[in-house]
Amino acid sequence: MANKDDSKSDFAEQASGDRTGLVGEFTDFLKENKKWWLAPIVIAILGLGLLVVLGGTAAAPFIYTLF
């Protein structure tokens, strides 16, 4: 039963630590799993999403002149 107590205390120790955000979790995932090729894909998708959102605002005429 000592093993279960150790895992419970380890869980409580991890739970009481600092919380990381979404970006921190994503970078930790990339570091641990060595999937650095995902970063440019996610950045491109976020960039396109930002363009779509800004396309519906007053900034649209300025964005269209860039292209």
Side-chain angles (χ1 to χ4, degrees):
M1 290 272 178
N3 193 13
K4 282 188 176 183
D5 291 337
D6 289 341
S7 66
K8 286 182 183 179
S9 65
D10 185 42
F11 178 75
E13 185 178 313
Q14 291 287 329
S16 66
D18 291 337
R19 294 181 61 183
T20 58
L22 182 65
V23 176
E25 288 284 338
F26 184 66
T27 54
D28 289 343
F29 169 77
L30 292 178
K31 287 178 189 175
E32 283 188 28
N33 295 315
K34 311 254 188 299
K35 297 199 182 284
W36 291 108
W37 56 270
L38 282 174
I41 296 170
V42 171
I43 291 169
I45 290 172
L46 290 175
L48 285 173
L50 182 66
L51 280 175
V52 168
V53 168
L54 290 177
T57 65
F62 301 109
I63 294 172
Y64 295 136
T65 59
L66 295 175
F67 298 104

